[in-house]
Amino acid sequence: MTPISFAIACLAIVTLCYFALCAVSPFGDCRRCKGFGYALKKDRRGRLRPGKTCRRCRGDRKRIRVGRHLFNVAARLHRDGTR
């Protein structure tokens, strides 16, 4: 097996695994707050305290995955085009 065909096979496997992950679990943890729902801040003693609510996920702690978002856009485009 040549290195190029091996790289293509590995890329195809990774892509199929990501699509399966998006189908099984369409939501992932928010990247900004790391799934906490708020920003962490330290008090004067250095202990971590909850700060403001995360602006990206609005405290829901979850976000839609990029692959699932692309699938939803494609499905919506197909649905609207066939009506």
Side-chain angles (χ1 to χ4, degrees):
M1 183 180 256
T2 63
I4 294 175
S5 62
F6 180 71
I8 291 172
C10 288
L11 185 63
I13 289 171
V14 168
T15 303
L16 290 175
C17 289
Y18 182 70
F19 283 146
L21 177 69
C22 289
V24 172
S25 175
F27 296 98
D29 289 337
C30 178
R31 291 185 298 245
R32 178 172 285 178
C33 65
K34 298 178 184 77
F36 285 115
Y38 49 82
L40 292 175
K41 67 178 185 176
K42 292 182 181 180
D43 62 1
R44 292 182 182 182
R45 294 185 181 185
R47 293 181 295 194
L48 292 175
R49 298 285 185 196
K52 293 182 180 179
T53 304
C54 179
R55 292 172 67 187
R56 179 177 281 176
C57 66
R58 296 185 190 99
D60 290 336
R61 302 184 297 173
K62 295 291 181 183
R63 63 170 179 85
I64 193 161
R65 295 185 193 275
V66 175
R68 186 60 183 206
H69 177 72
L70 292 175
F71 175 78
N72 290 347
V73 168
R76 188 178 309 120
L77 182 66
H78 177 72
R79 184 180 61 240
D80 292 344
T82 57
R83 285 188 187 182

